[in-house]
Amino acid sequence: MNSKAYFGKFGGQFVPETVMFALDELENAYESIAKTKEFKDELDDLLKNYVGRPSPLFFAKRLSEHYGHEIYLKREDLNHTGAHKINNALAQALLAKKMGKKKILAETGAGQHGVATATAAALLGLECDVYMGATDVARQQLNAFRMQLLGAKVVSVEDGLKTLKEATTAAIQAWVNEIESAFYVIGSAVGPHPYPKIVRDFQSVIGTEAKAQLENYGKKADYVIACVGGGSNAIGIFSAFLDDESVNLVGIEAGGLGIETPYHAATLSKGKTGIIHGMKTTVLQDEYGMISPVHSISAGLDYPGIGPEHAHLNDIKRVRYEAVTDDECINALYFLSKMEGIIPAIESAHAVAYLEKLCPKLDKKSVIVVNISGRGDKDINTVIGYEKGKIYG
């Protein structure tokens, strides 16, 4: 067993033999190319001058006054393409080009990773296919069109629930068919090793910046909160704080219509150990081990698994994982919009919603950082049409 492939008992490479060649090639390229000064300098230049990093750490004055705590928002929504996804997509696409690949493949739920990958492909002159569940194509029409505008081919997946799980499965199958010429840009901290570590490393810029920005304010975080679907924005910001046990880390999952109902995507709240998309992790499944259908108003959080590092951090109780319902999320989206003039993505609004639960319980004034992983432009139609109790996806 390759111990490097695991976080505790989670992770691994549960894939067909045909994929092992590509995973070995990727791991070797990551070590020999992505860790060189030349690659890092080129990526840093793109992150600064193309993406617009560092993203600000904004002191939310009105939110802080309302809750009685110091609340800072990490503004990943201000990145080019509108979310944290570009950090990882651009880095992986750059690595693909250095490896001599001509084509990149991606899966997407909310569409932000698809847009980021299509953007990186356009910038670097690569062919790009993005796999997206038909349900998500319908509720994220704007992002689907943006990808096409950027020159990518959007492949609508009609299987199953037609959401992120099915899109990921279809993208992996397509990759197997083009394994020698194509590079699979995974959008979250999921999949077989080395993807969870690569995505974490490329997203760790969020946490590194946030920690330094807090120090510039003369502050130290008491709580860091991020939404969790597969888990890339969360592991990105958590990574800088994991070694400091005094910092409470909280991941917020999609509670859907409530975790006491079948209509949610709260993997760590209700899941069991299983295998999905090439990794051993925590999975929502039935008594026979079949992957359960999931529900969330958020196209980016309705995934029945979780990144293996999150499963491990939950297992060792270093990170606390909680669930927020659709209704709590939508209320938080309206509240942040009106209080600070920031319209967050529905995904990010889950993290904002947790302030309502956390702040009244704190016995001393605390410094709280919330990762605003994306902006809400893509979700306006969903918010307009929102009905409490409606099944989405």
Side-chain angles (χ1 to χ4, degrees):
M1 186 175 80
N2 179 0
S3 60
K4 290 189 301 178
Y6 283 82
F7 302 94
K9 64 185 180 185
F10 300 103
Q13 295 172 308
F14 295 85
V15 295
E17 280 298 314
T18 49
V19 177
M20 285 304 298
F21 152 77
L23 293 177
D24 288 344
E25 180 189 39
L26 173 59
E27 187 169 13
N28 291 333
Y30 181 67
E31 295 296 330
S32 63
I33 298 172
K35 295 192 174 180
T36 63
K37 184 178 185 301
E38 179 191 6
F39 182 92
K40 288 179 179 178
D41 286 349
E42 187 172 350
L43 179 59
D44 286 347
D45 180 70
L46 287 170
L47 290 175
K48 178 183 177 182
N49 295 307
Y50 186 70
V51 175
R53 303 205 70 90
S55 65
L57 184 71
F58 172 67
F59 174 59
K61 186 178 179 184
R62 295 192 67 211
L63 217 56
S64 298
E65 288 172 354
H66 176 82
Y67 285 115
H69 298 279
E70 291 185 52
I71 297 170
Y72 295 84
L73 307 177
K74 183 58 172 158
R75 299 291 309 277
E76 292 298 291
D77 58 309
L78 294 178
N79 291 337
H80 179 45
T81 71
H84 70 291
K85 293 292 187 181
I86 191 69
N87 305 323
N88 167 63
L90 186 57
Q92 284 197 49
L94 183 61
L95 179 58
K97 186 162 187 176
K98 301 283 187 190
M99 291 170 68
K101 304 293 184 180
K102 304 297 183 188
K103 182 177 185 178
I104 54 179
L105 308 171
E107 86 297 329
T108 196
Q112 286 301 114
H113 173 60
V115 168
T117 305
T119 299
L123 177 70
L124 299 172
L126 297 167
E127 190 181 344
C128 179
D129 289 354
V130 180
Y131 290 79
M132 192 172 187
T135 298
D136 293 338
V137 171
R139 60 180 170 176
Q140 295 290 345
Q141 288 178 323
L142 176 63
N143 273 345
F145 180 72
R146 287 169 78 194
M147 288 178 247
Q148 292 168 338
L149 191 62
L150 289 158
K153 177 184 174 186
V154 178
V155 182
S156 181
V157 179
E158 301 287 344
D159 299 332
L161 291 179
K162 308 176 187 179
T163 56
L164 183 56
K165 177 177 77 72
E166 290 79 20
T168 304
T169 300
I172 291 171
Q173 288 170 344
W175 182 40
V176 169
N177 293 337
E178 301 182 71
I179 205 90
E180 300 214 6
S181 59
F183 183 108
Y184 182 22
V185 180
I186 286 187
S188 196
V190 299
H193 174 78
Y195 277 110
K197 292 188 177 185
I198 287 175
V199 175
R200 177 201 62 199
D201 290 352
F202 286 150
Q203 290 291 7
S204 66
V205 64
I206 307 171
T208 303
E209 284 180 7
K211 193 172 186 179
Q213 288 164 326
L214 277 172
E215 289 170 2
N216 289 339
Y217 277 115
K219 302 293 179 180
K220 184 177 182 300
D222 295 302
Y223 287 84
V224 177
I225 306 169
C227 66
V228 181
S232 65
N233 92 86
I235 205 64
I237 196 165
F238 291 167
S239 61
F241 301 94
L242 283 172
D243 292 338
D244 186 349
E245 295 281 346
S246 70
V247 182
N248 297 279
L249 305 175
V250 189
I252 306 300
E253 298 188 297
L257 302 190
I259 61 172
E260 70 285 352
T261 76
Y263 305 107
H264 63 79
T267 306
L268 289 171
S269 300
K270 304 292 281 188
K272 298 178 288 188
T273 300
I275 307 293
I276 186 172
H277 295 141
M279 59 181 169
K280 181 182 180 183
T281 186
T282 305
V283 184
L284 288 168
Q285 53 192 301
D286 65 19
E287 58 188 305
Y288 304 108
M290 300 296 289
I291 305 299
S292 299
V294 290
H295 157 81
S296 171
I297 191 173
S298 160
L301 299 185
D302 61 353
Y303 182 63
I306 190 83
E309 188 166 7
H310 285 293
H312 173 61
L313 292 169
N314 181 59
D315 200 40
I316 64 173
K317 295 182 168 51
R318 176 61 189 97
V319 180
R320 186 163 87 245
Y321 295 88
E322 305 278 355
V324 157
T325 67
D326 289 348
D327 208 49
E328 291 166 334
C329 153
I330 291 296
N331 289 339
L333 187 149
Y334 273 98
F335 190 63
L336 180 60
S337 301
K338 291 173 181 175
M339 288 292 282
E340 296 289 355
I342 297 168
I343 304 173
I346 285 177
E347 291 79 10
S348 312
H350 282 75
V352 177
Y354 189 66
L355 292 170
E356 197 71 29
K357 299 184 177 187
L358 173 67
C359 292
K361 296 178 182 176
L362 300 177
D363 54 10
K364 67 179 180 67
K365 192 167 185 177
S366 298
V367 174
I368 304 169
V369 177
V370 182
N371 198 27
I372 306 299
S373 56
R375 66 176 181 242
D377 308 36
K378 67 183 177 58
D379 295 318
I380 296 302
N381 287 338
T382 302
V383 176
I384 289 170
Y386 174 70
E387 298 171 31
K388 185 174 180 178
K390 183 178 176 182
I391 304 297
Y392 295 82

